[in-house]
Amino acid sequence: MLFAGGLYLVLSRPHGLWLLIGLELMLNASAPLLVSTGTAEAIALIFLLLFFALLEAAAALFILYHYAKQKGSLNLHDLTAI
């Protein structure tokens, strides 16, 4: 369900922040399955997954902030004009 919601956001929204939210949903879609197993390895994998998701989100927001500052908009349709 999370993966489908993320896929919908990625494919339907031209705004950069919605794209990031959709990608994060798709990345973290396996977390509920790992929690349901309850093993120590699964919990460690969840923490590793969340750590890398935070790093990815921070880097992507940094890039989008500078893009928006330069272009004045986060509309991804403007990327074709580059």
Side-chain angles (χ1 to χ4, degrees), residues 12-53:
S12 67
R13 310 286 181 178
H15 198 272
L17 289 178
W18 285 114
L19 179 70
L20 284 178
I21 292 169
L23 288 174
E24 287 299 320
L25 279 174
M26 290 169 54
L27 175 69
N28 295 327
S30 65
L33 295 173
L34 290 171
V35 169
S36 67
T37 61
T39 63
E41 292 85 9
I43 302 299
L45 188 59
I46 288 171
F47 283 129
L48 188 63
L49 179 80
L50 291 176
F51 175 72
F52 284 120

